[in-house]
Amino acid sequence: MIGKPLPLRDLGFRSTLELVADMPEVVRVCPYEKGTFVLKAIADETTKAIAKLVARQRRSTRARKSAATKTDAVFPSKNPQSFPRRGRAPVLPATVKAELQDLLS
């Protein structure tokens, strides 16, 4: 959105997937076909109406397979829970969480 990579290492994460797995109130990591997964934004009060509209949309099988292939290419690890953690989980600043939630909305 801002044309720069996320400062994952500065925030204490090794990958974008590790970051989103640590924000269950913002995004859900869902298993998909053949060991791949899909990221689903969690709707809040301001985005529930939009979420309902999106849920009613029909998507072709081709579009879903294409999205899954792109997701797999970006995140080659099949299991988001397989990331080893060292010590305590990093604490994501509230401002960063809010910005990511706005972006996902």
Side-chain angles (χ1 to χ4, degrees):
M1 185 170 176
I2 60 171
K4 296 180 183 177
L6 290 171
L8 296 171
R9 298 228 187 270
D10 294 342
L11 296 170
F13 298 98
R14 288 181 278 165
S15 69
T16 306
L17 186 58
E18 191 176 291
L19 170 75
V20 298
D22 198 51
M23 299 186 310
E25 70 281 359
V26 176
V27 64
R28 184 173 54 231
V29 180
C30 302
Y32 195 64
E33 298 172 345
K34 298 179 184 175
T36 61
F37 53 90
V38 174
L39 302 178
K40 293 186 178 184
I42 305 295
D44 62 8
E45 292 303 317
T46 61
T47 59
K48 279 189 179 180
I50 295 169
K52 285 180 184 178
L53 291 172
V54 170
R56 284 190 277 170
Q57 287 181 335
R58 290 183 175 222
R59 292 183 62 189
S60 71
T61 304
R62 176 190 271 179
R64 276 187 249 140
K65 285 183 181 177
S66 175
T69 302
K70 287 178 186 174
T71 301
D72 197 30
V74 174
F75 302 111
S77 176
K78 303 289 187 201
N79 184 356
Q81 308 305 326
S82 68
F83 294 110
R85 292 284 183 135
R86 291 185 205 158
R88 292 179 47 198
V91 176
L92 193 61
T95 55
V96 174
K97 274 190 179 181
E99 289 175 9
L100 288 170
Q101 192 164 16
D102 284 345
L103 178 63
L104 291 169
S105 296

